[in-house]
Amino acid sequence: AQKITQTQPGMFVQEKEAVTLDCTYDTSDQSYGLFWYKQPSSGEMIFLIYQGSYDEQNATEGRYSLNFQKARKSANLVISASQLGDSAMYFCAMREGLYNQGGKLIFGQGTELSVKP
Amino acid sequence: ETGVTQTPRHLVMGMTNKKSLKCEQHLGHNAMYWYKQSAKKPLELMFVYNFKEQTENNSVPSRFSPECPNSSHLFLHLHTLQPEDSALYLCASSQDLNEQYFGPGTRLTVT
């Protein structure tokens, strides 16, 4: 069964507008972490934001915020005031459980975001 | 250098060749990872090392052989690869269970 689902293969947004990238997950664990990464055309995966399953507040990092709805098992990424440099692939990922030796991330298929000038 | 570095950035090899990918992290982390990213597929975890010990082998074929001589260096030795092994190979590191930091990747083409 797919653990991480990103239903939007591609998204367009006008520069300076906000955009929401969807992510739903499936797990029976009580302890887990959710991550968003950005991958520009250069290939490097850039960590953006993290939300723990026990965190009561939605995570925010600058223009990025994570809309965490635990009951719906969704962890959408909101990018405010989009910039041209935000054009990239965006991956949602989940780490299940508590591993004592490294964290195994499961990635979604990704969403390609294009910011229009 | 800072962060996670990978060499080479691009590699073309024949099916009978032997080559190695190198990853180095300058973040003082204790865990390192190899991922494979094929076109149109999610990232696939291949190997996890923590404190130089392999803790995860995600059913990877034996033609991929990892080596972790210390917490800062990770290698992926390649031999008798297949064309379907062509992909972007990403290395990452993390401190315990926290966020993983990725290198720029090695784009591998097997001819």
Side-chain angles (χ1 to χ4, degrees), chain A residues 58-79:
Chain A
N58 284 344
T60 59
E61 288 287 346
R63 294 186 298 111
Y64 304 107
S65 61
L66 200 151
N67 184 0
F68 182 44
Q69 298 190 36
K70 198 169 182 177
R72 294 185 178 183
K73 293 189 175 178
S74 75
N76 299 339
L77 177 70
V78 180
I79 306 174

Side-chain angles (χ1 to χ4, degrees), chain B residues 2 7 10-11 18 20 24 27 33-34 51 55 66 74 76 102 111:
Chain B
T2 59
T7 54
H10 299 272
L11 177 62
K18 289 185 179 181
S20 295
E24 185 173 359
L27 301 168
Y33 312 76
W34 278 117
F51 291 107
T55 58
L74 185 64
L76 188 63
F102 285 78
T111 60

Side-chain angles (χ1 to χ4, degrees), chain A residues 11-64:
Chain A
M11 289 278 289
F12 288 92
V13 66
Q14 203 68 37
E15 193 178 7
K16 299 181 185 177
E17 291 186 351
V19 63
T20 298
L21 307 183
D22 295 341
C23 173
T24 57
Y25 60 92
D26 182 27
T27 182
S28 56
D29 285 1
Q30 296 301 309
S31 300
Y32 53 90
L34 296 156
F35 303 76
W36 277 93
Y37 285 85
K38 171 184 177 182
Q39 188 178 38
S41 57
S42 59
E44 184 173 357
M45 297 282 282
I46 302 167
F47 165 73
L48 295 179
I49 197 166
Y50 166 78
Q51 179 88 40
S53 58
Y54 294 116
D55 295 340
E56 295 184 355
Q57 303 266 355
N58 284 344
T60 59
E61 288 287 346
R63 294 186 298 111
Y64 304 107

Side-chain angles (χ1 to χ4, degrees), chain A residues 37 39 95 99 101 103 109, chain B residues 33 37 42 45 55 97 100:
Chain A
Y37 285 85
Q39 188 178 38
R95 183 200 68 225
Y99 290 85
Q101 297 183 358
Q109 297 270 17
Chain B
Y33 312 76
Q37 187 178 26
L45 178 68
T55 58
L97 308 177
Q100 294 176 19

Side-chain angles (χ1 to χ4, degrees), chain B residues 48-88:
Chain B
V48 180
Y49 276 83
N50 192 55
F51 291 107
K52 303 187 301 177
E53 299 297 321
Q54 188 180 122
T55 58
E56 186 94 28
N57 177 338
N58 206 23
S59 303
V60 180
S62 59
R63 57 185 184 270
F64 295 91
S65 174
E67 179 189 1
C68 188
N70 54 60
S71 294
S72 299
H73 293 86
L74 185 64
F75 295 89
L76 188 63
H77 304 300
L78 316 171
H79 64 96
T80 59
L81 294 192
Q82 304 297 312
E84 59 265 27
D85 296 324
S86 298
L88 180 68

